[in-house]
Amino acid sequence: MKEVMGLIHHVKDEKAFRQITKNRCVAAIPFGGKYRLVDFPLSNMVNAGISNIGIITSFNMRSLLEHLGRGEDWGLDRKKDGLFILPTASIDSANNKRKVDLEDFYANLDYLEKSKQEYVLITGSNIVCNLDLRKVGAFHKKNEADVTIVYQDGYQFLDLDIKRGVYLQKDDDGRILAIEAGAPSPGNVVSMDMYLLKKSLLMSFFEEGEINGKWDLISDFLTSRVRDLRIYGFPYQGYLAIVNSWQSLFKHQLELLDSRVVQKLFNPKRMIYTKIKDGPPTRYCGGAEVCNVLASNGCVIEGKVENCIMFRKVKIGRGAVIRNSILMPKVEIGENVVLDRVILDKGVSVHKGTKLISQNEDPIIIPKNIKVREGSV
Amino acid sequence: MKSKECIAMLLAGGQGSRLRLLTKNLAKPAVPFGGKYRIIDFSLSNCVNSGIDTVGVLTQYKPQVLNSYIGIGDAWDFHCYGSHGGVTILPPYEREDGGEFYKGTAHAIYQNIDFIDKYNPEYVLILSGDHIYKMDYSLMLEEHKKNDAEVTISVIEVPWEEASRFGIMNTDQEGRIVQFEEKPICPKSNLASMGVYIFNWGVLKEYLIRDAADKESAHDFGKNVIPRMLQDSLKMYAYAFQGYWRDVGTVESYWEASMDILDDQGCLTFFDNDWRIYSAPSLQAPHYISSKAEIEDSLISDGCAIEGKVEHSILFPGVFVGQESLIKDSIIMPGVRIGRRVKIEKAIIGENTVVGDGSYIGADGITVIEDSITMPENTQVGRLLRLKKKTKEEEEDVKELLG
């Protein structure tokens, strides 16, 4: 897809992730034992041969920039095209309700203008899937579409995320008849926040935006133009996680403990790339008991772990019992700790003997680098 | 170009025939070790951790895997030195008057005198690419300078009963080497040479030129150059290294060193941020341990999926272990697929091999299974048998042949 450039927009609603986005933007949220959310859209693009990719970042970008580097882990450290970091135009991100903020792209007009590609593929940074974007390109051309939106039929949001979704109505040929943010359509046709269109069309939106100050691709442009523009929906049937909140972050990561999901998402034909870290293999010691666990390199496990995602360099002490939890990099769990339904952010340490059990469906979040002692939470 | 104080020359060209099937398709330094590393990672990481930024890697035997693994040396940060150092792969090459393969360790260095001269170093560190250890070469260099030595040879104390298997250095009270004995029947000391040498470059160059002209010489450091230097009473000192060191030149020592890693013997841990062993990993998904799996005392790498039982074993990236299978005291190389109800004991399974359901590999001794073969269901492999690649018809017969 040499004629397509990629644009990854920035998910504005960081509040929905509570303390998890205190030190990082949504794109940089750790996911799936060794990845960050941005790895999925980036890898999908790279796997389809897209080699010019711009990423909008919020001001909370240190962690994302560290992760992306020069893009070498995605093969994007190139002389021609490559990876471009595009700062957001939105100073007050917290009160910006735009779904896809075109003003962010407009603020980086130079980059768009100098890019040679005819088409742009816009996608959110929080869409976890493994999708062959070449098929989307072929579909777009076949339908002579102005805009193609990738969707999934019957995708189920968590109740609290329903209002964050964008829903489509389509006819039998796949033409989109209505686009609605926040209100489920019959059949629950959910937009995957991926849009393929000509760069020239995007540029024409900028001209309007400049005049009337309206910048949301969904509510200010596409919703009102379903009749004027040929907007088509491309159905995606593989594994999908739209990570919209800390609750869905928890739910979707634990879905990866189903080996069928892992096989689909980490399809070796279309690898999900991430920043490669060089750590030793994970060590399971004599007393370790592990069951249904997805784990990364460099962990040292002496206790019992069940239904957990472990990022790299996690340490679990003797006698500890950890269930249904997500342990981000460098989490250290002392002896005889008991945890159930907890998200432990990077670098958290839990003092020996501590017990943390969530009393309801929602997990407990322990923010980055916190040292937990009994009674401190 | 700015002169370098000390550069390293890493001998990585040997066949390592005593590793048998493990080195069938690659050079010994490229043999995978410790669940994700290759043997050469130890020497290269030691260099970079010791502040040595220029390394020549001498290759000869089946170098393809090693060459592409080392690449520009970015895994060890060697790429940061641009044209002023870093890692350079040095295969034998042709000159105006013809070319030769490396005939011995000394001859290999001799052939690359120009490479070394380019950096105009004061000292040259000679290393082997087949040792497992963590060593700060800068401390050895300091001692070399302090002794005002011309040659310093790193030695390690070995148990007296094993001393006759090594090259033994006999020293005086100041640590000056007075005698070198290769595999002595009655050792006078238990200080074994580790194959790590520091030479003053001017001195070494002279001896290399002389050695190359000697038609009788085997062009080997241990057999020819070092004895000659001793004869000439050069100032040669032993540097006593304290710590874990293993030559993994045989299947047995390779297997033992691997088990040492599991048992935390000799403090050679990978979980040490002060002296990291770097490697060039390929990307793999996290590993998955199913609800039916049991894992004890083992190292598991990325990309594995485990449904059976793994005990006291090392699994390299991308290994699959099926239900009701047992892997014990074994080393499973990258990409191996092990079916259901398989039992593997004290074995080394080569890269990308497929072990059919119900197979048994083991008995006493260490069994080595070749790379990239497919073992049919219910294959039995005992001691002494080394399964070779079979044609399709032969594969059908394997069970009968071995059973």
Side-chain angles (χ1 to χ4, degrees):
Chain A
M1 291 178 95
K2 288 261 176 277
E3 73 286 11
V4 181
M5 64 183 290
L7 291 171
I8 298 178
H9 75 81
H10 151 230
V11 175
K12 306 275 180 191
D13 192 4
E14 292 187 351
K15 272 190 209 148
F17 294 89
R18 293 206 174 165
Q19 301 100 317
I20 294 166
T21 46
K22 184 166 174 269
N23 297 294
R24 53 175 83 89
C25 55
V26 174
I29 292 176
F31 188 91
K34 74 185 310 179
Y35 306 91
R36 292 179 189 259
L37 288 177
V38 73
D39 293 339
F40 295 91
L42 258 186
S43 301
N44 282 331
M45 287 180 178
V46 166
N47 286 333
I50 296 176
S51 59
N52 182 19
I53 302 175
I55 299 186
I56 303 286
T57 60
S58 73
F59 290 105
N60 202 357
M61 68 174 107
R62 186 202 54 78
S63 158
L64 180 67
L65 297 190
E66 197 181 313
H67 179 69
L68 296 173
R70 296 182 304 134
E72 59 270 35
D73 289 304
W74 298 266
L76 291 171
D77 52 336
R78 294 163 177 258
K79 288 187 178 173
K80 185 170 180 264
D81 293 334
L83 181 72
F84 295 83
I85 305 294
L86 314 174
T88 177
S90 177
I91 292 165
D92 186 13
S93 207
N95 291 313
N96 185 330
K97 299 279 183 251
R98 293 167 190 161
K99 286 283 176 201
V100 181
D101 188 354
L102 295 186
E103 199 177 7
D104 284 345
F105 298 140
Y106 182 61
N108 294 280
L109 191 62
D110 282 358
Y111 163 66
L112 282 163
E113 277 177 342
K114 83 168 185 209
S115 294
K116 301 266 189 289
Q117 288 79 5
E118 190 184 353
Y119 294 90
V120 291
L121 181 89
I122 299 174
T123 170
S125 53
N126 59 339
I127 310 295
V128 176
C129 67
N130 189 332
L131 156 71
D132 187 353
L133 287 169
R134 285 192 170 94
K135 289 187 182 152
V136 180
F139 176 91
H140 186 83
K141 281 180 191 161
K142 192 190 86 195
N143 287 309
E144 293 172 357
D146 294 312
V147 181
T148 296
I149 305 178
V150 183
Y151 70 87
Q152 185 161 68
D153 242 332
Y155 179 79
Q156 293 296 329
F157 280 112
L158 285 176
D159 287 349
L160 62 118
D161 287 336
I162 288 174
K163 62 177 188 296
R164 298 191 172 100
V166 172
Y167 303 86
L168 311 173
Q169 282 177 47
K170 55 180 180 60
D171 69 15
D172 292 342
D173 300 328
R175 176 122 188 219
I176 301 297
L177 306 173
I179 304 170
E180 193 79 55
S185 61
N188 225 20
V189 182
V190 173
S191 158
M192 286 169 59
D193 200 11
M194 288 186 196
Y195 315 89
L196 181 62
L197 63 159
K198 276 208 170 123
K199 190 169 82 178
S200 53
L201 180 60
L202 182 66
M203 295 285 202
S204 74
F205 294 164
F206 293 162
E207 283 164 25
E208 283 181 47
E210 226 191 339
I211 295 163
N212 60 21
K214 291 186 171 172
W215 290 106
D216 187 7
L217 176 67
I218 312 303
S219 57
D220 297 329
F221 294 96
L222 299 185
T223 302
S224 54
R225 286 172 208 216
V226 284
R227 281 190 188 80
D228 311 337
L229 293 173
R230 290 173 63 84
I231 305 180
Y232 277 80
F234 176 88
Y236 167 73
Q237 277 141 2
Y239 175 76
L240 170 67
I242 300 176
V243 182
N244 269 338
S245 61
W246 60 281
Q247 292 96 332
S248 62
L249 178 71
F250 181 70
K251 172 183 175 260
H252 291 308
Q253 284 200 77
L254 292 186
E255 280 169 1
L256 300 183
L257 294 174
D258 181 339
S259 59
R260 287 164 302 182
V261 170
V262 171
Q263 276 163 21
K264 276 186 203 155
L265 188 58
F266 302 118
N267 177 353
K269 283 181 197 151
R270 288 194 304 269
M271 299 234 326
I272 303 301
Y273 300 97
T274 187
K275 180 175 177 155
I276 298 182
K277 297 273 189 170
D278 185 7
T282 281
R283 185 185 182 107
Y284 295 94
C285 303
E289 273 183 68
V290 228
C291 165
N292 209 28
V293 162
L294 194 68
S296 211
N297 268 341
C299 302
V300 182
I301 312 301
E302 296 183 89
K304 184 171 178 178
V305 193
E306 220 180 284
N307 302 330
C308 288
I309 306 281
M310 292 194 288
F311 287 74
R312 66 196 177 86
K313 288 189 169 177
V314 167
K315 289 202 171 89
I316 296 183
R318 253 169 221 295
V321 182
I322 318 297
R323 289 196 175 94
N324 310 311
S325 295
I326 290 161
L327 298 89
M328 293 203 208
K330 300 180 188 176
V331 164
E332 291 194 21
I333 308 288
E335 290 175 15
N336 302 316
V337 166
V338 178
L339 303 180
D340 196 351
R341 304 185 73 74
V342 184
I343 299 177
L344 300 115
D345 205 329
K346 221 171 162 178
V348 163
S349 69
V350 183
H351 193 254
K352 64 180 179 190
T354 308
K355 208 176 206 180
L356 278 176
I357 295 173
S358 170
Q359 299 304 327
N360 54 45
E361 278 291 292
D362 291 337
I364 299 168
I365 301 177
I366 310 294
K368 197 170 171 181
N369 296 332
I370 294 284
K371 291 184 170 42
V372 183
R373 285 175 170 273
E374 186 94 70
S376 68
V377 176
Chain B
M1 190 191 294
K2 211 177 127 210
S3 299
K4 297 276 180 188
E5 187 190 26
C6 181
I7 73 166
M9 296 294 275
L10 206 163
L11 298 160
Q15 180 181 356
S17 56
R18 287 172 306 153
L19 280 173
R20 292 184 292 231
L21 292 173
L22 293 178
T23 51
K24 191 170 168 255
N25 300 315
L26 37 71
K28 184 156 65 163
V31 170
F33 183 85
K36 75 164 284 192
Y37 305 91
R38 293 186 189 268
I39 294 172
I40 199 170
D41 288 337
F42 292 84
S43 308
L44 287 178
S45 301
N46 285 340
C47 281
V48 99
N49 289 334
S50 303
I52 291 173
D53 59 22
T54 308
V55 182
V57 179
L58 299 121
T59 62
Q60 179 156 287
Y61 173 80
K62 295 196 176 173
Q64 294 87 349
V65 174
L66 187 62
N67 287 353
S68 63
Y69 181 69
I70 294 174
I72 56 166
D74 47 336
W76 306 270
D77 288 348
F78 283 124
H79 64 305
C80 302
Y81 304 100
S83 54
H84 307 292
V87 66
T88 307
I89 291 174
L90 303 168
Y93 60 96
E94 206 168 6
R95 306 155 186 269
E96 300 87 325
D97 54 356
E100 284 178 303
F101 278 113
Y102 297 150
K103 288 185 279 187
T105 49
H107 187 246
I109 306 293
Y110 167 78
Q111 294 273 352
N112 289 286
I113 284 178
D114 290 350
F115 170 81
I116 300 173
D117 273 342
K118 192 174 75 170
Y119 295 102
N120 191 26
E122 236 169 294
Y123 310 103
V124 172
L125 171 70
I126 306 287
L127 302 169
S128 298
D130 53 359
H131 296 159
I132 304 294
Y133 64 128
K134 289 182 175 180
M135 179 173 176
D136 188 342
Y137 304 130
S138 71
L139 300 177
M140 180 178 170
L141 183 61
E142 245 168 62
E143 191 142 316
H144 179 85
K145 288 192 267 186
K146 204 181 76 196
N147 289 330
D148 196 24
E150 292 170 297
V151 182
T152 299
I153 298 175
S154 184
V155 296
I156 186 161
E157 273 188 51
V158 293
W160 277 97
E161 59 272 23
E162 287 177 29
S164 54
R165 286 174 35 211
F166 295 91
I168 295 295
M169 296 291 162
N170 300 320
T171 58
D172 69 11
Q173 282 168 338
E174 273 78 53
R176 188 157 170 177
I177 299 166
V178 292
Q179 194 187 17
F180 169 69
E181 293 180 286
E182 184 67 37
K183 300 191 175 119
I185 298 163
C186 302
K188 296 191 202 80
S189 123
N190 64 338
L191 297 176
S193 166
M194 293 162 59
V196 175
Y197 312 102
I198 291 175
F199 296 96
N200 291 358
W201 173 229
V203 174
L204 177 63
K205 188 172 160 182
E206 187 191 318
Y207 275 83
L208 289 176
I209 292 169
R210 224 194 289 171
D211 175 76
D214 179 358
K215 290 210 165 57
E216 303 296 305
S217 174
H219 310 296
D220 184 82
F221 274 101
K223 284 192 197 116
N224 310 102
V225 177
I226 301 293
R228 189 65 195 260
M229 288 173 159
L230 268 168
Q231 258 175 29
D232 294 354
S233 306
L234 293 193
K235 285 186 79 178
M236 301 172 76
Y237 283 82
Y239 170 77
F241 171 73
Q242 314 276 340
Y244 183 92
W245 173 85
R246 271 290 180 146
D247 178 333
V248 287
T250 64
V251 169
E252 289 70 23
S253 61
Y254 172 87
W255 185 82
E256 278 164 19
S258 301
M259 294 300 128
D260 284 349
I261 299 290
L262 279 180
D263 301 339
D264 258 340
Q265 286 293 309
C267 312
L268 183 77
T269 171
F270 298 144
F271 296 87
D272 166 13
N273 276 333
D274 296 333
W275 199 271
R276 277 183 63 183
I277 301 302
Y278 299 97
S279 66
S282 59
L283 178 68
Q284 298 265 356
H287 63 261
Y288 175 67
I289 315 272
S290 90
S291 48
K292 295 190 180 68
E294 276 180 67
I295 300 184
E296 210 171 283
D297 257 334
S298 294
L299 286 173
I300 312 285
S301 293
D302 278 351
C304 292
I306 300 167
E307 299 182 348
K309 190 169 178 181
V310 180
E311 238 180 81
H312 201 249
S313 294
I314 298 177
L315 272 58
F316 282 81
V319 171
F320 174 82
V321 180
Q323 285 177 25
E324 294 171 61
S325 288
L326 169 69
I327 316 294
K328 197 177 172 188
D329 301 326
S330 294
I331 299 157
I332 316 292
M333 296 289 190
V336 170
R337 295 193 68 78
I338 295 165
R340 296 173 175 217
R341 303 179 314 280
V342 171
K343 194 173 177 192
I344 298 176
E345 286 179 291
K346 219 174 167 181
I348 303 171
I349 313 290
E351 231 166 289
N352 297 322
T353 278
V354 178
V355 183
D357 292 352
S359 297
Y360 175 79
I361 300 169
D364 38 79
I366 301 157
T367 313
V368 182
I369 304 290
E370 201 185 328
D371 281 7
S372 309
I373 57 166
T374 301
M375 298 170 68
E377 285 182 20
N378 303 315
T379 306
Q380 307 278 321
V381 184
R383 205 184 166 174
L384 298 178
L385 288 164
R386 308 267 180 253
L387 200 69
K388 300 279 182 201
K389 214 169 250 171
K390 301 280 176 190
T391 63
K392 263 201 177 146
E393 293 88 334
E394 278 177 323
E395 238 169 48
E396 314 267 328
D397 296 327
V398 157
K399 192 181 142 195
E400 272 177 55
L401 280 167
L402 300 175

